[in-house]
């Protein structure tokens, strides 16, 4: 008969792997899986969703729909500029799990630094005729990088998803240190709610 194809992480090309919450927990072994499930439970909790709503200025507490995945970017991995606007997404989050200089670096590969790349790049935007701007409402396009955020162990980045939320992941330059993160989106109850 036919050999069953082993199910692996979903990804785009060979420079990034994306695992959903359960795949990540399974891939990280028993102890790591337990910790990832605790993190997932916390991120999904009503208390945490309310906190995220308050921090980001959402009009209403975010819904109980939360998308979560883990991402692994090896050397050369990157994401092109995009805005995350799909359906009811309202707040994007990234929790970095890159090596630090302390206890969370068992292989002693050195803390993540500027030379390792993988920055989150946040773009400015401008109205564009080409994108439907010119008086018709909407139609923004990215202008240039306004802020770069270096991944740092246990740091969480939040930003509202909307027509001005253009961002990218710059190329990872580190040889032996993949850029690891847990990321996802908090959703509104319907597409018309929240901050855009």
């Amino acid at each position: 008969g036919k050999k069953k194809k082993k199910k692996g992480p979903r990804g785009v090309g060979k420079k990034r792997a994306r695992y959903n919450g359960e795949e990540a927990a399974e891939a990280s072994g028993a102890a790591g899986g337990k910790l990832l499930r605790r993190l997932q439970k916390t991120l999904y909790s009503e208390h945490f969703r309310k906190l995220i709503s308050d921090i980001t200025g959402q009009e209403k507490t975010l819904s109980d729909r939360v998308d979560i995945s883990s991402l692994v970017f090896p050397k050369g991995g990157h994401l092109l500029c995009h805005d995350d606007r799909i359906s009811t997404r309202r707040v994007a989050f990234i929790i970095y799990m890159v090596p630090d200089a302390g206890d969370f670096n068992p292989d002693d590969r050195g803390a993540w630094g500027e030379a390792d790349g993988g920055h989150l790049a946040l773009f400015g935007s401008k109205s564009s005729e080409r994108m439907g701007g010119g008086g018709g409402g909407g139609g923004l396009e990215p202008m240039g990088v306004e802020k770069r955020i270096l991944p740092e162990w246990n740091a969480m980045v939040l930003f509202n998803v909307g027509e001005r939320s253009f961002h990218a992941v710059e190329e990872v330059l580190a040889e032996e240190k993949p850029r690891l993160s847990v990321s996802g989106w908090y959703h509104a109850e319907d597409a018309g709610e929240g901050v855009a």
Side-chain angles (χ1 to χ4, degrees):
K2 279 187 167 181
K3 285 186 178 180
K4 278 193 171 182
K5 194 173 186 181
K6 186 177 178 186
K7 188 176 179 184
R10 295 169 294 180
V12 176
K14 295 180 180 163
K15 293 295 184 184
R16 175 182 67 166
R18 178 184 295 272
Y19 296 84
N20 69 29
E22 285 304 310
E23 290 169 341
E26 186 178 308
S28 63
K34 192 173 186 178
L35 290 173
L36 284 172
R37 284 186 186 92
R38 279 182 58 194
L39 174 62
Q40 184 177 18
K41 185 177 178 180
T42 299
L43 294 172
Y44 283 30
S45 73
E46 183 177 357
H47 173 77
F48 204 80
R49 289 191 328 266
K50 177 157 182 7
L51 178 64
I52 298 298
S53 294
D54 291 346
I55 290 170
T56 59
Q58 298 297 310
E59 295 168 6
K60 296 181 181 178
T61 298
L62 296 159
S63 78
D64 62 357
R65 179 176 174 198
V66 181
D67 297 330
I68 186 172
S69 62
S70 61
L71 290 168
V72 180
F73 288 86
K75 181 176 170 107
H78 63 281
L79 276 177
L80 298 177
C81 184
H82 61 286
D83 66 11
D84 283 356
R85 287 194 307 165
I86 297 175
S87 182
T88 57
R89 289 178 180 173
R90 285 296 169 267
V91 177
F93 68 90
I94 305 163
I95 302 170
Y96 293 111
M97 303 178 92
V98 296
D100 76 345
D103 295 337
F104 295 101
N105 192 355
D107 299 331
D108 197 28
R109 292 181 276 186
W112 198 270
E114 287 289 330
D116 296 317
H119 293 76
L120 174 65
L122 304 175
F123 289 76
S125 58
K126 68 177 180 177
S127 182
S128 168
E129 295 290 331
R130 184 173 60 84
M131 302 292 280
L140 298 176
E141 67 177 276
M143 276 184 56
V145 175
E146 289 188 348
K147 184 173 181 88
R148 296 171 70 236
I149 300 171
L150 180 70
E152 184 178 330
W153 168 257
N154 207 27
M156 183 177 200
V157 174
L158 299 167
F159 58 89
N160 288 317
V161 174
E163 64 180 3
R164 297 181 183 272
S165 62
F166 295 109
H167 60 285
V169 174
E170 295 178 355
E171 184 177 356
V172 172
L173 305 172
E175 291 286 341
E176 299 293 326
K177 297 186 287 192
R179 181 187 183 271
L180 304 173
S181 63
V182 172
S183 62
W185 301 272
Y186 287 94
H187 291 258
E189 289 293 338
D190 65 57
E193 290 182 1
V195 175

